[in-house]
Amino acid sequence: MYDLVIKGGFVLDPLQDINEVMDVAISGGKIVDVLRGVNIEGAKHVVDGSGLLVTPGLVDIHVHCSYNVAHLSVDPEFSCLAKGSTTVLDAGTTGHLNFLGFRKYVIDRCRTRILALLNIESLGMIEAHHKEEWPKLITDYEELFINIQETLEVIRAHQDIIVGIKWAHHTPKGLSLARKAADEAKCVLMAENHYEPETVKCLKKGDIVTHTFHAHKPSLKRSPHDGLLDEEGNVQHEFYDAIKRGVILDVGHGAGSFSWHVAEKAFEQGIKPDTISTDLHMGSFNGPAFDMPTTMSKFLVLGMPLYDVVKASTITPAKVLGKQDEIGNLQPGASADLALFKLEEGKFVFTDVYEDRRVGRQRLNIRRVIRGGEIII
Ligand SMILES: [Zn+2]
């Protein structure tokens, strides 16, 4: 007797290496069985999965969803959960001074599972307002608004939600303080892909470099090689060293951080993302990132196999968060979080942040989302 059965879908669960038509049985908000021919007699609900791709609920490890607390944030229920992301990691939208509001008014009220990185800056990203030019308020000051002790205290008080620290939008001085705080808290550090190769050299096993495939021009404020590639278009060797150390390469598409040219150059040289993420915020959710299915589809265009795309959007990010027993997979006992897609065939145009276009033959289109055994859409 099950609460819910997803019948006859094409199940793709990289953790268990399942890649075939199966039924998924759910009870008490957990996965109970993944096998052929589940007996649906007496099941409370049956969802017809035929013709659909069934994956674990997506785990998007770079979003901004401190909705109505910080201007740049999207509503996680519509922009993430309804698009298949049953778990998201808010990437430092708030700092130690305003995290509590995020928790109380958003995280604790949402059906989306929200984890967070605490910004090393005390107020997070409140400076990022869609009506203003990008930040003059905090980041141009020599004196940063950072308090390591207070940051550590908030991390300790919210260990169930906060998994690490984010460094973004400011100078290398902030990075060294973020490194210090992450070491003291023994947590993950996520850094933006700027001031390279110095930034990636600071990262340790399990840390994350995000915006891997941006093509920002070097500026006076940043190093001559601002991102992944050097002036000749070669991957800077420090990135290979980082991969060997176990540093995670994350997409973080956003409004300014995904270039077809850079991604193609990277793929040619054997560099692929460990984790696919959207960097969803007010400036990216109406395009060019849109949502996880669109961002994942772009990696199909780059020639990444569907299996690897799903892996980089489910179990790998779940492991980065240390939550692989609970999410990112369909093993019995895991949370019953699932995404059901139509894998459409045709000609689809995908645009990067520079309005450069590529045509893909496949597109992931979300059809159903289940979170903790509850049918969301
Ligand atoms: Zn971001």
Side-chain angles (χ1 to χ4, degrees):
M1 216 70 82
Y2 302 113
D3 291 343
L4 173 63
V5 176
I6 318 292
K7 189 81 180 151
F10 189 93
V11 177
L12 206 173
D13 177 19
L15 182 69
Q16 300 183 87
D17 200 24
I18 295 173
N19 197 16
E20 59 185 294
V21 174
M22 289 270 189
D23 303 331
V24 183
I26 293 162
S27 274
K30 307 273 187 197
I31 304 288
V32 180
D33 276 321
V34 182
L35 39 85
R36 283 176 193 221
V38 162
N39 182 4
I40 59 170
E41 210 174 302
K44 289 185 197 154
H45 300 283
V46 178
V47 169
D48 181 8
S50 54
L52 299 179
L53 174 72
V54 179
T55 75
L58 305 176
V59 181
D60 185 351
I61 65 164
H62 190 154
V63 306
H64 298 282
C65 65
S66 181
Y67 192 52
N68 287 333
V69 177
H71 302 297
L72 81 165
S73 295
V74 296
D75 182 337
E77 303 290 72
F78 287 101
S79 299
C80 304
L81 184 62
K83 302 292 185 159
S85 302
T86 48
T87 300
V88 298
L89 179 65
D90 181 275
T93 315
T94 58
H96 71 85
L97 286 175
N98 48 2
F99 174 78
L100 190 60
F102 178 27
R103 171 153 202 168
K104 189 169 176 184
Y105 300 116
V106 180
I107 296 172
D108 290 348
R109 295 179 177 199
C110 281
R111 290 185 294 181
T112 318
R113 181 187 286 100
I114 302 172
L115 301 169
L117 300 172
L118 200 62
N119 202 303
I120 191 61
E121 285 206 51
S122 302
L123 282 163
M125 297 179 175
I126 61 156
E127 81 280 12
H129 193 296
H130 61 284
K131 290 178 185 163
E132 306 290 336
E133 272 190 30
W134 264 73
K136 296 287 179 210
L137 186 61
I138 296 175
T139 57
D140 283 356
Y141 287 124
E142 269 303 302
E143 207 59 44
L144 296 171
F145 287 69
I146 288 174
N147 184 324
I148 290 182
Q149 221 41 53
E150 296 281 337
T151 298
L152 294 173
E153 276 176 32
V154 170
I155 291 172
R156 268 193 287 274
H158 300 276
Q159 284 173 3
D160 56 330
I161 301 291
I162 300 174
V163 300
I165 287 176
K166 175 78 184 292
W167 170 78
H169 306 169
H170 42 63
T171 62
K173 186 179 169 190
L175 176 61
S176 65
L177 294 172
R179 174 76 277 162
K180 188 168 184 273
D183 287 342
E184 285 192 33
K186 294 187 175 57
C187 67
V188 166
L189 172 60
M190 177 189 274
E192 294 196 333
N193 185 18
H194 298 305
Y195 303 101
E196 296 298 5
E198 298 311 312
T199 296
V200 80
K201 281 156 68 176
C202 284
L203 300 181
K204 300 179 179 176
K205 183 179 167 58
D207 289 337
I208 306 158
V209 60
T210 189
H211 305 323
T212 299
F213 304 109
H214 80 71
H216 293 320
K217 297 276 185 297
S219 70
L220 287 176
K221 287 168 67 181
R222 292 177 175 153
S223 65
H225 313 305
D226 195 44
L228 182 69
L229 307 179
D230 66 15
E231 285 158 330
E232 277 78 49
N234 297 317
V235 173
Q236 300 193 69
H237 71 84
E238 287 85 355
F239 281 86
Y240 292 107
D241 300 338
I243 292 164
K244 275 186 210 146
R245 284 200 301 282
V247 172
I248 304 299
L249 300 188
D250 177 54
V251 173
H253 187 305
S257 300
F258 177 76
S259 150
W260 283 118
H261 173 73
V262 172
E264 285 161 358
K265 283 275 177 199
F267 271 62
E268 278 168 31
Q269 295 169 68
I271 299 290
K272 291 176 182 170
D274 295 295
T275 53
I276 294 174
S277 68
T278 57
D279 187 17
L280 271 199
H281 53 72
M282 280 298 185
S284 67
F285 90 106
N286 274 327
F290 291 105
D291 49 37
M292 271 298 273
T294 307
T295 305
M296 292 163 75
S297 299
K298 291 180 182 181
F299 285 84
L300 296 175
V301 176
L302 286 160
M304 204 165 159
L306 178 66
Y307 187 97
D308 294 351
V309 166
V310 171
K311 186 177 178 186
S313 310
T314 56
I315 188 61
T316 304
K319 284 179 180 169
V320 170
L321 300 173
K323 304 280 183 192
Q324 64 273 20
D325 293 338
E326 196 184 350
I327 59 172
N329 71 87
L330 301 177
Q331 283 195 133
S335 181
D337 299 350
L338 298 99
L340 278 63
F341 303 91
K342 183 81 182 166
L343 183 60
E344 298 174 334
E345 306 279 342
K347 276 190 176 178
F348 308 103
V349 175
F350 295 100
T351 308
D352 71 5
V353 304
Y354 305 98
E355 298 191 13
D356 202 3
R357 291 161 174 228
R358 296 290 182 273
V359 176
R361 297 270 167 201
Q362 292 180 312
R363 180 172 68 184
L364 286 163
N365 189 345
I366 194 75
R367 290 297 173 87
R368 307 299 293 261
V369 179
I370 291 150
R371 161 80 176 95
E374 181 188 358
I375 298 171
I376 304 292
I377 61 166

